[in-house]
Amino acid sequence: EYALVLGGRVIASTDSAGMAIAMLRHARATLSADNTRLAIRIPPALETPATQEADDAGMTLEAYLAALEAERVERADERGGPGLQ
């Protein structure tokens, strides 16, 4: 299981390596909104299983992450907020 921890609090968790990367990218984009540039580095221990998930879904990793982000946006819209989960 992967957890996104910000400010000492677990913000979101998932069993999916791809979703973990998608959450990191969303957090980076959200937290960079005030012109503070943030960078993330995805280690092979996370990228490799995420790539396998993408392959299993018949997608490249970038396409898979884009699909996960679109899914996150849809869920946030349904809840009425931006959310990370």
Side-chain angles (χ1 to χ4, degrees):
E1 184 170 356
Y2 305 95
L4 177 60
V5 179
L6 296 172
R9 294 184 326 133
V10 175
I11 303 299
S13 62
T14 182
D15 291 329
S16 164
M19 183 59 77
I21 293 172
M23 289 187 309
L24 285 169
R25 286 182 170 189
H26 176 70
R28 177 191 60 200
T30 300
L31 296 171
S32 293
D34 67 357
N35 294 326
T36 302
R37 297 270 309 145
L38 298 175
I40 58 173
R41 288 183 291 156
I42 307 301
L46 185 58
E47 186 174 12
T48 299
T51 300
Q52 184 59 55
E53 289 174 18
D55 288 345
D56 292 347
M59 300 178 181
T60 65
L61 180 56
E62 286 304 316
Y64 183 60
L65 294 173
L68 290 173
E69 175 60 12
E71 187 178 305
R72 184 202 62 76
V73 168
E74 183 178 315
R75 284 194 314 267
D77 287 346
E78 289 170 1
R79 287 192 314 266
L84 285 173
Q85 301 180 34

